[in-house]
Amino acid sequence: MLHEQDQYIQGSFKVLVNSGMGNPYATEEEVIAKDWGGVFSDNAYTQIRDADYSQESLDRAAENSKEAWKAVVRDLNSSKILLPNQLIDATGMREEMDAAVEDMVGPPPKPQQGGEG
């Protein structure tokens, strides 16, 4: 019984430490399952210190960001809520606008085959 109480108290302190400086996305169960080294090592400081700052990683991040902004432009162009798009559709200029957006940001990516299901 004393061992169980010790484990409970230790788990509570792990959750307390994690809430103050740890991973905000970790569940209580995940935090309790870690040893103390794991609780102390998963925090904002170590995540910044141990991040991948290689040129390859930075290039990949830049490319992902560029593709995300292209997707934003495509989404704004296809939004039926925006007044300019409603006017474009009403005047029958949708094909011209879609072509202009495609010239600006390129064609949308092809849907990937497979996946989970």
Side-chain angles (χ1 to χ4, degrees):
M1 193 161 100
L2 187 60
H3 175 72
E4 288 179 19
Q5 189 174 21
D6 183 48
Q7 293 297 89
Y8 175 79
I9 291 170
Q10 203 174 128
S12 297
F13 276 115
K14 287 179 183 178
V15 170
L16 178 67
V17 168
N18 185 72
S19 68
M21 63 173 263
N23 181 353
Y25 303 108
T27 65
E28 209 172 287
E29 292 80 22
E30 291 171 336
V31 173
I32 291 171
K34 292 179 182 181
D35 63 8
W36 277 105
V39 173
F40 285 120
S41 67
D42 190 9
N43 59 63
Y45 171 75
T46 58
Q47 290 169 1
I48 291 170
R49 182 193 68 196
D50 300 337
D52 182 3
Y53 294 108
S54 68
Q55 189 61 47
E56 177 186 341
S57 177
L58 295 174
D59 291 344
R60 192 171 52 247
E63 185 60 32
N64 288 342
S65 179
K66 189 168 122 182
E67 289 303 316
W69 279 111
K70 287 180 181 181
V72 168
V73 171
R74 288 186 201 101
D75 288 346
L76 288 174
N77 180 55
S78 65
S79 173
K80 302 296 182 198
I81 297 174
L82 299 176
L83 181 60
N85 286 341
Q86 293 173 11
L87 295 173
I88 289 167
D89 291 340
T91 59
M93 297 181 64
R94 173 54 48 203
E95 287 183 22
E96 292 86 351
M97 187 62 182
D98 288 346
V101 168
E102 191 167 318
D103 287 344
M104 183 172 43
V105 298
K110 303 274 188 248
Q112 294 183 355
Q113 298 296 322
E116 296 179 10

